[in-house]
Amino acid sequence: MRLRTALCSAVSALSALALLSACSSGSTTSASGDTPLVGVDYPRSDTDFWNSYIKYTPQYAKKLGLSLKTTNSQNDVAKLTANAQTFISQGVKGLAMAPQDTAAIAPTLAQLEAKKIPVVTVDTRPDSGKVFMVVRADNRAYGEKACQFLGTKLAGKGKVVMLEGGLDSINGRDRTEAFNACMKKSYPGIKVFGEATNWDGAVAAQKLQTDLTAHPDIKGVYMQSSFGLSGTLQVLKQKGLLVDPKDKKHVFVVSNDGIPEELKSIAAGKIDATVSQPADLYAKYALYYLKAAIDGKTFKAGKTDHDSTIIQVRPGLLEDQLSAPLVTADGATYGGVPSVKSDDKSLWGNNLG
């Protein structure tokens, strides 16, 4: 009887050790070398575009064999800084972020560099500081594509409103500067009313309504992202301007993002074009470059194997500029810019399950 009791005790001890070992091997750290732990800070979750990015991120982390910790800085650089401290304490081996204030993030980048934690920024590029890679599309091309579309539709004459994002963001500056420069060069007969909105849909709607009241002959709107979609459609409807594109009262609207609602609105004739910002590829290549950094890989400027181009922005800073096509109802070419149809299955906005 005593022998049986002793054997049972030994088996229980071995089982406990086995269980402890199993729990240890399932850790979310990179101690095993199989699943490096990385952090991703989501910049916001109040837009369809960023909610799509949030949906894609864990999917690609799993495909790339990465363990994931996430936070949400809610468009607040102070929260982003605090979240970075949390990631450091959790022992992440790399960090992806999308700082909306691209100047104020520099001290945080310096701290992460000192701790040898590689950083990939998504959608935005820091004004200063080092990161392993910037993953974004060519935002100047966004402004130029919107300009060429509206310039063509208005035959080079008339008035348009540009609902700017935030000029504290490299994206807002790039899109604004490029749109204005293109209009000045290619369509000098078009008057542009630039309206700062800080990526706020309510502000955008209010300013658009004011402009349309003062200038009822406005024939074009450029929204720098889909944040302004709902408010713009509401204002146009209130003004009796939400009409078929063939109606002479129609106001031509171009957006940026490529969310499903934009694609549906193009097909329905409510808006006319968007630039499809690749939410899926932002998630995929942010994590791809983090894994590459952890593995000790390096990159240089030039064409990639995924239909993009890496450029050197400044010494020591590379940016992978992903493809972002102009999307229209007819898939035609506008001002030399080719477009794809809004129902094209290659667009991520048509593939959200």
Side-chain angles (χ1 to χ4, degrees), residues 6-331:
L7 285 170
C8 288
S9 297
V11 169
S12 296
L14 287 170
S15 297
L17 286 171
L19 179 60
L20 179 61
S21 175
C23 290
S24 298
S25 65
S27 169
T28 57
T29 70
S30 58
S32 68
D34 295 325
T35 56
L37 178 66
V38 299
V40 176
D41 181 82
Y42 302 135
R44 57 197 300 175
S45 55
D46 59 348
T47 70
D48 289 343
F49 176 82
W50 284 114
N51 283 331
S52 298
Y53 172 76
I54 289 169
K55 177 182 177 181
Y56 283 119
T57 297
Q59 296 176 16
Y60 283 112
K62 184 177 181 180
K63 289 180 181 180
L64 290 165
L66 296 170
S67 294
L68 189 64
K69 294 283 188 181
T70 63
T71 56
N72 191 321
S73 54
Q74 299 174 343
N75 208 23
D76 185 331
V77 72
K79 289 181 180 179
L80 175 53
T81 297
N83 291 345
Q85 301 305 316
T86 299
F87 285 132
I88 291 171
S89 69
Q90 291 172 335
V92 299
K93 302 302 180 184
L95 175 57
M97 62 172 70
Q100 301 302 288
D101 187 331
T102 52
I105 196 61
T108 300
L109 294 179
Q111 183 182 18
L112 291 163
E113 182 186 9
K115 292 186 176 295
K116 301 187 185 314
I117 298 175
V119 175
V120 172
T121 63
V122 181
D123 181 52
T124 63
R125 180 177 69 230
D127 295 356
S128 61
K130 292 183 179 180
V131 299
F132 182 77
M133 183 68 74
V134 177
V135 175
R136 67 196 287 257
D138 183 350
N139 278 249
R140 292 193 66 84
Y142 289 7
E144 291 167 0
K145 290 174 182 180
C147 161
Q148 294 294 349
F149 179 84
L150 288 175
T152 300
K153 285 294 187 181
L154 272 62
K157 298 178 181 179
K159 300 174 182 177
V160 302
V161 177
M162 174 167 53
L163 299 174
E164 302 165 353
L167 298 185
D168 59 348
S169 160
I170 185 67
N171 289 353
R173 294 196 299 272
D174 276 357
R175 297 175 198 185
T176 297
E177 291 168 4
F179 185 83
N180 283 332
C182 171
M183 280 295 183
K184 183 177 180 180
K185 178 182 178 181
S186 301
Y187 305 103
I190 293 179
K191 169 70 175 177
V192 178
F193 298 98
E195 300 289 3
T197 70
N198 197 33
W199 310 109
D200 187 315
V203 173
Q206 183 270 319
K207 291 192 173 183
L208 177 59
Q209 186 170 41
T210 299
D211 284 337
L212 283 170
T213 300
H215 306 278
D217 55 343
I218 284 171
K219 287 298 180 183
V221 177
Y222 170 37
M223 303 181 300
Q224 288 191 359
S225 96
S226 57
F227 75 95
L229 179 62
S230 176
T232 294
L233 293 179
Q234 184 177 6
V235 170
L236 292 177
K237 185 176 182 179
Q238 290 173 348
K239 296 284 186 181
L241 301 174
L242 193 60
V243 295
D244 188 86
K246 295 179 181 178
D247 191 310
K248 64 180 182 179
K249 293 194 300 181
H250 182 77
V251 176
F252 292 95
V253 179
V254 184
S255 186
N256 282 165
D257 276 346
I259 62 170
E261 194 60 34
E262 287 176 324
L263 304 183
K264 293 174 184 175
S265 293
I266 292 172
K270 294 180 179 179
I271 71 171
D272 303 274
T274 189
V275 179
S276 180
Q277 186 170 216
D280 55 341
L281 299 185
Y282 278 4
K284 178 178 181 178
Y285 287 104
L287 295 169
Y288 166 83
Y289 284 116
L290 279 187
K291 188 172 190 299
I294 294 168
D295 292 342
K297 296 180 180 178
T298 59
F299 298 87
K300 60 183 180 179
K303 295 288 186 180
T304 71
D305 60 359
H306 49 269
D307 191 30
S308 68
T309 301
I310 296 176
I311 65 168
Q312 180 172 298
V313 178
R314 55 180 181 262
L317 185 65
L318 297 175
E319 176 174 306
D320 188 354
Q321 295 191 329
L322 303 177
S323 176
L326 177 67
V327 182
T328 62
D330 58 9

